[in-house]
Structures are given as structure tokens and as C-alpha cells.
Amino acid sequence: LDLTINGQSVGEAAWAAAFAGHFGVPIGMITGDDQLKAQVERELPPGFHYVMSKTGMAHECARLRPLADVRDEIRETAAAALADIEGLTVYRPKLPLTVTMRLRHWEGLEICEAIPTIERLDVNTLRFQAANVIEAQKCFVAINRLAPRP
């Protein structure tokens, strides 16, 4: 899935941060693989803390860091994020949102066009506008439920 919010490519972490931002919750800490940090630095405002838990090697394959080390680093980093609460940023994309989803398949996407707010741009790309992140999440879930995976 390739996802954009207002023309900016975003990943799962930014999508979750936008959802949290709807409620005024700042981004305190993100954990993930060695590639995620660079991605979220491009997509999100500065101020969050990061813990690398693994190194990606291939699709669904990673070299994990020792669990005890990661657990200790998460504990320390979470404490640092809480101590820096004033420096944390709330991520709020400009409203209304324009969301584009390019799926890796095309089968079943015609059913998504039945939702009045959804426009099909090409064989595997859908776009919709949403007044806020909650509405966008509802469309996102509906598309993922209606469009079967091959």
C-alpha cells in the first residue's frame, strides 16, 4: 500500500501519529527497524524519540537486537520522552485531508467506488477527502475491508 495525506507520502507510523494528533496526543517515542527512523524523520515534525529494535534484511526478515538491550533502551527512551514533554510535537495534517491509496492489487476495487466520497484514479489507486482523521480512518478501513486480497 502506498498512502499519501495531502500529497505527502506517509507510512504506518505517520498515519498513527495523525490519528493521535486528532486527539491532541504528541509523538513521544517510536520504535522500529533501522529504516523506519529515516522515514519518520521525513514524514513527521521533529521532537520524537526513537529506539531501533531490529535491522531489516528482507521482506518479513530481520535481525533482532537482544531483547534485554531493547527493553532497557525503550524504558530509558520513554523516560526521556516524558521528561521532554514540552518538546514533543502533535502531528496534525492540514484539514480537510486528501488521502490517496495505491493498492498492490486491483481486484475488487470497483466495489469501493460505490462509496460516494471515493474516487478511482486508475486501476489500483483510490482517492478520497475527509473532514478529519477519524473520517479518513473510517474510509481507510472500509476500503481495506471491501477490497479483497488476491
Side-chain angles (χ1 to χ4, degrees):
L1 171 70
D2 293 325
L3 183 67
T4 69
I5 298 175
N6 299 334
Q8 177 188 347
S9 181
V10 297
E12 184 179 346
W15 185 259
F19 193 79
H22 176 82
F23 296 100
V25 176
I27 307 158
M29 182 179 73
I30 298 172
T31 67
D33 69 16
D34 57 320
Q35 300 299 307
L36 181 61
K37 184 176 184 193
Q39 177 185 337
V40 294
E41 285 176 340
R42 285 189 309 271
E43 298 173 1
L44 297 173
F48 62 86
H49 298 253
Y50 192 83
V51 174
M52 186 184 79
S53 58
K54 58 191 171 189
T55 301
M57 299 176 70
H59 181 67
E60 296 187 13
C61 179
R63 177 174 289 126
L64 303 177
R65 289 182 53 213
L67 181 59
D69 293 351
V70 172
R71 185 181 303 130
D72 290 345
E73 190 173 341
I74 287 173
R75 188 175 294 113
E76 292 165 8
T77 304
L82 289 172
D84 183 34
I85 197 97
E86 297 301 321
L88 302 180
T89 306
V90 176
Y91 174 55
R92 287 190 174 118
K94 186 178 177 200
L95 300 176
L97 301 175
T98 299
V99 179
T100 304
M101 297 174 64
R102 179 180 299 275
L103 294 99
R104 288 175 173 63
H105 60 88
W106 58 268
E107 299 89 343
L109 293 185
E110 67 278 351
I111 192 72
C112 297
E113 292 178 274
I115 300 171
T117 59
I118 295 176
E119 172 188 12
R120 192 166 185 180
L121 301 179
D122 61 36
V123 68
N124 63 339
T125 306
L126 303 171
R127 177 173 59 202
F128 60 88
Q129 286 204 325
N132 58 50
V133 178
I134 301 301
E135 189 177 293
Q137 177 68 10
K138 288 177 182 179
C139 282
F140 181 87
V141 169
I143 289 167
N144 279 293
R145 297 268 168 101
L146 289 172
R149 302 293 185 265

